[in-house]
């Protein structure tokens, strides 16, 4: 009978939970298989394992009679791709694949939403007036998506372009705006009707015309030293763009362009917001060194975010306050001196 037992169960191992429950697994199984047999969330949050009270690596081959305790953390980022090679059971492998599939969808939703919002801004619309629940539902159904997240995910993995979605979302307001087009003469007349106290000090003036509402465009964030053009908007004054900004189509908007120039005394607005993108090798302390470098140039940082990919490439997006183009160049050159920095560029939204 003893020999028969060995023959029957030679391809299986019987292990115990800390509470004494018996779990049957194929021979060659590792703690990852055990964790996913208990529960998917236990598996996804696994950070280590104890066998008979001693710490072991996740590639440890389980033996009959082992008592297994899985160590988890709510701060775990989930399984790694290597786990697919370590796991022996199809159940564990399938649950690991499901995790990555869901994770990729979440990433695509985020990426797609970012791209659509960028296209809407490029069309010079406010996000809050376009991204309403009713409008999103209407456009999602128009493209045969059951939910807006599915639509964003499709944009994220290039199943549909962000421009297509943005054009659909803004079509009604674009038609309305096109009907309200005015000539430069009419627009300037309207601009002059703004009360003086509403005029913003942007450090820019319209040549030959005083007392106009002027604002710096957020899509290209012009700063003193940049070549600039003015664009007359309906009811919102003159929007100032960099001359190379792709959001100003000179051929289509010739009748709404107006000459503008920077104030020469520099006393109006001392600081201008600029977004820069820094890429480099993802190593410990890189972000701190970048922040320190910017601080050395006596530059205020208004926002910073970062991410890294599986190829150890880090991307840092930073918003800084600078006085002119020379100041910006000084900041860029200082960041480039940091080891492992690949590139620094000014972002055009």
């Amino acid at each position: 009978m003893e020999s028969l037992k060995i023959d029957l169960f030679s391809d299986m191992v019987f292990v115990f939970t800390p509470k004494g429950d018996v779990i049957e697994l194929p021979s060659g199984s590792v703690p990852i298989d055990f964790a996913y047999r208990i529960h998917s969330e236990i598996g996804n949050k696994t950070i280590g394992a104890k066998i008979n009270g001693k710490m072991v690596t996740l590639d440890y081959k389980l033996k009959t009679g082992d008592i297994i305790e899985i160590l988890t953390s709510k701060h775990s980022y989930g399984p790694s791709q290597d786990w697919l090679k370590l796991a022996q059971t199809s159940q564990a492998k399938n649950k690991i694949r499901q995790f990555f599939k869901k994770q990729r969808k979440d990433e695509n939703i985020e990426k797609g939403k970012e791209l659509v919002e960028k296209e809407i801004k490029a069309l010079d619309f406010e996000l809050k007036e376009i991204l309403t629940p009713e409008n999103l539902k209407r456009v999602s159904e128009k493209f045969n998506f059951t939910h807006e997240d599915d639509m964003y995910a499709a944009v994220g993995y290039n199943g549909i372009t962000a421009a297509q979605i943005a054009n659909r979302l803004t079509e009604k307001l674009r038609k309305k705006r096109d009907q309200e087009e005015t000539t430069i003469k009419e627009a300037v007349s309207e601009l002059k009707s703004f009360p003086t106290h509403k005029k913003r000090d942007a450090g820019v003036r319209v040549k030959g015309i005083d007392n106009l509402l002027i604002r710096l465009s957020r899509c290209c964030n012009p700063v003193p030293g940049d070549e600039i053009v003015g664009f007359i908007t309906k009811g919102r004054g003159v929007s100032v763009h960099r001359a190379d900004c792709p959001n100003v189509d000179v051929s289509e908007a010739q009748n709404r362009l107006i000459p503008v120039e920077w104030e020469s005394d520099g006393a109006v607005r001392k600081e201008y917001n600029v977004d820069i993108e820094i890429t480099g090798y993802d190593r410990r302390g890189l972000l701190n060194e970048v922040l320190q470098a910017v601080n050395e140039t006596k530059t205020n940082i208004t926002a910073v975010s970062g991410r890294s990919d599986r190829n150890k490439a880090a991307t840092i997006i930073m918003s800084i306050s600078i006085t002119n183009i020379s100041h910006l160049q000084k900041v860029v050159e200082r960041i480039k001196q940091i080891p492992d920095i690949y590139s620094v560029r000014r972002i055009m939204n």
Side-chain angles (χ1 to χ4, degrees):
M1 286 298 295
E2 202 61 39
S3 298
L4 183 59
K5 284 181 187 176
I6 293 170
D7 289 340
L8 283 173
F9 301 118
S10 59
D11 60 342
M12 304 297 292
V13 292
F14 297 88
V15 293
F16 297 91
T17 67
K19 293 182 178 180
D21 297 325
V22 180
I23 303 293
E24 179 184 349
L25 292 166
S27 180
S29 294
V30 296
I32 294 169
D33 298 296
F34 175 86
Y36 279 103
R37 177 63 63 84
I38 300 300
H39 196 279
S40 297
E41 279 305 302
I42 299 293
N44 290 339
K45 296 296 182 182
T46 296
I47 58 171
K50 284 184 178 181
I51 303 294
N52 304 323
K54 294 182 180 180
M55 287 293 296
V56 297
T57 57
L58 292 178
D59 61 355
Y60 171 87
K61 302 293 184 184
L62 301 179
K63 301 179 182 65
T64 294
D66 283 342
I67 300 173
I68 309 176
E69 180 185 353
I70 297 296
L71 306 178
T72 62
S73 170
K74 62 181 179 180
H75 301 297
S76 167
Y77 292 107
S80 69
Q81 290 286 349
D82 291 339
W83 287 17
L84 287 170
K85 299 175 184 175
L86 295 178
Q88 298 299 307
T89 62
S90 57
Q91 180 194 34
K93 290 183 178 183
N94 287 336
K95 288 183 177 179
I96 293 169
R97 289 192 187 99
Q98 286 173 11
F99 175 87
F100 287 124
K101 186 176 180 181
K102 182 178 183 298
Q103 185 185 50
R104 280 192 292 270
K105 184 179 180 182
D106 290 344
E107 289 173 359
N108 282 329
I109 290 172
E110 188 176 341
K111 180 183 175 184
K113 189 173 183 181
E114 201 174 291
L115 291 171
V116 170
E117 289 178 354
K118 190 177 289 187
E119 286 290 336
I120 292 171
K121 288 177 182 177
L123 293 170
D124 206 21
F125 286 102
E126 295 290 335
L127 295 179
K128 62 182 179 181
E129 67 178 339
I130 301 298
L131 299 179
T132 61
E134 300 79 16
N135 204 18
L136 285 168
K137 183 181 179 183
R138 177 183 66 82
V139 174
S140 296
E141 291 174 352
K142 201 88 172 177
F143 285 100
N144 296 318
F145 293 110
T146 55
H147 193 270
E148 65 186 74
D149 282 350
D150 297 324
M151 179 179 73
Y152 284 135
V155 175
Y157 62 71
N158 297 322
I160 191 171
T161 67
Q164 286 176 283
I165 301 299
N167 285 335
R168 280 289 187 181
L169 287 167
T170 60
E171 59 184 346
K172 290 183 179 179
L173 285 179
R174 276 189 293 114
K175 287 177 182 177
K176 183 180 177 182
R177 188 167 68 180
D178 290 343
Q179 292 168 356
E180 295 173 347
E181 285 288 325
T182 59
T183 64
I184 282 187
K185 185 177 178 181
E186 292 170 334
V188 170
S189 176
E190 179 192 337
L191 290 170
K192 282 190 170 183
S193 69
F194 280 105
T196 306
H197 70 271
K198 285 189 176 180
K199 180 176 177 289
R200 295 184 189 176
D201 290 330
V204 175
R205 66 186 180 89
V206 176
K207 294 179 182 179
I209 307 173
D210 294 324
N211 201 27
L212 293 184
L213 179 66
I214 298 174
R215 64 188 180 89
L216 298 180
S217 174
R218 292 181 182 176
C219 61
C220 55
N221 288 328
V223 299
D226 287 331
E227 289 187 28
I228 52 177
V229 294
F231 183 81
I232 298 174
T233 60
K234 178 70 176 176
R236 289 188 295 159
V238 176
S239 176
V240 178
H241 295 257
R242 282 164 54 186
D244 59 348
C245 179
N247 293 335
V248 178
D249 191 328
V250 177
S251 61
E252 292 185 5
Q254 189 64 47
N255 67 325
R256 301 189 68 79
L257 292 178
I258 193 167
V260 290
E261 61 187 8
W262 294 105
E263 295 278 7
S264 57
D265 58 10
V268 179
R269 179 171 170 170
K270 294 184 178 180
E271 292 193 337
Y272 301 80
N273 194 63
V274 170
D275 295 331
I276 57 174
E277 180 187 84
I278 304 150
T279 60
Y281 176 71
D282 184 21
R283 60 170 172 79
R284 186 183 297 275
L286 181 68
L287 177 58
N288 285 337
E289 290 181 32
V290 171
L291 295 175
Q292 181 62 33
V294 176
N295 188 49
E296 287 174 11
T297 64
K298 297 181 180 179
T299 303
N300 289 328
I301 300 172
T302 56
V304 63
S305 63
R307 64 179 185 276
S308 63
D309 61 23
R310 293 167 187 160
N311 298 318
K312 300 291 285 181
T315 301
I316 300 169
I317 306 295
M318 185 178 292
S319 295
I320 56 177
S321 298
I322 58 109
T323 53
N324 52 44
I325 201 74
S326 298
H327 183 183
L328 175 61
Q329 190 61 36
K330 180 181 177 183
V331 175
V332 170
E333 290 302 322
R334 176 63 188 88
I335 294 173
K336 283 183 176 180
Q337 294 172 12
I338 300 171
D340 299 320
I341 291 295
Y342 300 151
S343 66
V344 184
R345 72 180 185 93
R346 188 172 171 185
I347 297 176
M348 181 85 75
N349 293 318

